[in-house]
Amino acid sequence: MASFVSHLTVDCSDAYLLSEWWKPVLGYQDVPDDPNLPGHDECMIVDPEGKGVTVLFIEVPESKSVKNRLHLDLRPREGARDPELDRLLAHGATVVADRRGQYGPGTGWVTLADPEGNEFCILRSSAEVAEQPAPAGAADA
């Protein structure tokens, strides 16, 4: 017997605001017939196409104090990594580490943080990977 991932839970200080921030990042929406509202201490967002992992934001009293041990690696659904990076920065993400070119020209990723400091990475799109595969051993394959 094995288990499957039901949803990803993100501890936060404001579940509603963080769920609202992440919806346009992922292209997600509230659960149909169960909208997230200001003041909710649990807010869930889902992929409208039913393909992505569901994300649940839960308010906790502790603030984030160290690097995440688990984070999301995102690929642009369309286009390329760098325009998506620009979109995320304009949306309020901050750069934690820039690893573009780490494995040669056109490779790598950028580690970002959401408004509450939760890290996530933006990788090259699938089309970019197909055009110029990363060298053996590179994480952004």
Side-chain angles (χ1 to χ4, degrees):
M1 183 180 291
S3 298
F4 67 93
V5 176
S6 169
H7 55 272
L8 174 73
T9 300
V10 178
D11 291 348
C12 58
S13 62
D14 190 321
Y16 175 73
L17 286 179
L18 205 55
S19 71
E20 288 296 301
W21 190 86
W22 275 97
K23 282 194 297 191
V25 169
L26 299 173
Y28 277 27
Q29 65 186 26
D30 292 345
V31 174
D33 301 321
D34 188 14
N36 298 321
L37 298 171
H40 283 179
D41 58 3
E42 294 185 8
C43 294
M44 185 172 277
I45 60 174
V46 298
D47 181 347
E49 297 176 10
K51 296 179 182 177
V53 65
T54 298
V55 183
L56 175 64
F57 300 90
I58 296 182
E59 292 183 8
V60 297
E62 309 85 21
S63 62
K64 182 180 177 300
S65 60
V66 297
K67 182 183 181 303
N68 294 28
R69 296 291 304 261
L70 177 73
H71 68 268
L72 299 175
D73 284 342
L74 306 179
R75 288 196 193 277
R77 292 177 189 254
E78 301 172 348
R81 176 197 58 212
D82 291 345
E84 181 66 359
L85 172 63
D86 292 341
R87 183 182 78 88
L88 296 172
L89 293 173
H91 184 58
T94 56
V95 175
V96 174
D98 190 335
R99 305 277 191 242
R100 289 179 286 182
Q102 181 163 336
Y103 297 101
T107 67
W109 64 92
V110 179
T111 303
L112 302 168
D114 71 17
E116 290 201 14
N118 300 299
E119 295 97 1
F120 63 101
C121 294
I122 186 68
L123 310 176
R124 297 178 301 151
S125 69
S126 296
E128 289 174 294
V129 171
E131 289 173 8
Q132 183 179 10
D140 182 17

